Amino acid sequence: MPDIKIGEHVGTEWWPAAVENEQTADLTVTSTTAIPGTPVCEVSFQTPRTGRIGVCVAGNWTQASAGNRLFVTFEVYEGASAAGTLKRSARAHMGASGHGHTATALESGHGAMQMVEALTPNVNHYARIVFWTEGGTTNVLTHRRIIVFPMP
Amino acid sequence: MALPAGTQVYGQDLPPTQYDQDWTVILNIVGTGYVPGTPEVGVNFTAPTSGRVLVTIGAGVRNNAATGERAIVTFQVFQDNANGPAVVGASFNSGVVSAGVAVAQEFHYIGTFKMVQNLTPGRNYYARVVHRTSSITVAPGTADIASRDICVIPLT
């Protein structure tokens, strides 16, 4: 995972394409463990030579179940799908969540960005949004978006 | 368009990132249609060779009363300037929204991200923050904004 050195020729191996996927299906979330839902909000991408990427997750949701937060974060796999090697598992603190207020809430928008490093350079990877709730059955995820871009 | 494999990457392929912010407090938002507010928070930018940019939006938002009103802060993109053709319209789904609970809140500061694609490489565009309230349940409105920011980052 080399850094770009001063004076070095910078080619496209450092800058593969950035990708985005967006899903608008309304999902009523009941799972208390991380699931991708259907349809899956997913992207395939090639890692840059640095092995570093930026991952943005964003979404809208309604927290209608008092005090139960919805967590929205991501997983990264090496390979073409979630059948590949899991390189970054879902972590609640590396995504966005509901506020846990003890009142029902209308739909609102959220986002978070993380860097993932030490990925294998220049090979295909796969990332997807996963989510879960603390409890209750009335957290509704209304919009999901994931963006992956190479980082120097 | 993607940078072809094996080609050299030039400066014009990745033009500068642009950023603007303002912390003028805007209280009791009255409109349910999107407005840029005063001062306008926006950036001129040049589309990279890929035609793709990452737009980040951040804002401090709240509802100041026990109403169901929400402050919605999102963005628009135009060719050339705000008088040019809109290439990205304001969307609830691309922005941030206050908590949506029917109780008075403190300002909370949040951000979100959206990729804009299919821009013409090398062309000038203008992106700006716009906002509205979800509804007016108590005149003149109870949704507030404490700060706004926008960043446009060229992507590959």
Side-chain angles (χ1 to χ4, degrees), chain B residues 25-30 60-71 98-108 133-146:
Chain B
V25 175
I26 301 171
L27 297 176
N28 302 321
I29 299 168
V30 298
V61 286
R62 75 174 179 194
N63 182 13
N64 68 38
T67 65
E69 300 182 24
R70 288 168 287 170
S98 61
V101 290
V103 292
Q105 302 146 29
E106 299 295 334
F107 280 114
H108 70 281
T133 182
S134 60
S135 61
I136 304 288
T137 58
V138 178
T142 62
D144 301 336
I145 291 173

Side-chain angles (χ1 to χ4, degrees), chain A residues 12 16 18 20 60 106-107 145, chain B residues 6 70 93 100 113-115 156:
Chain A
T12 50
E20 179 187 56
N60 291 10
L106 301 167
E107 183 184 9
R145 183 163 62 243
Chain B
R70 288 168 287 170
N93 288 327
F113 307 88
K114 173 83 182 100
M115 188 194 289
T156 50

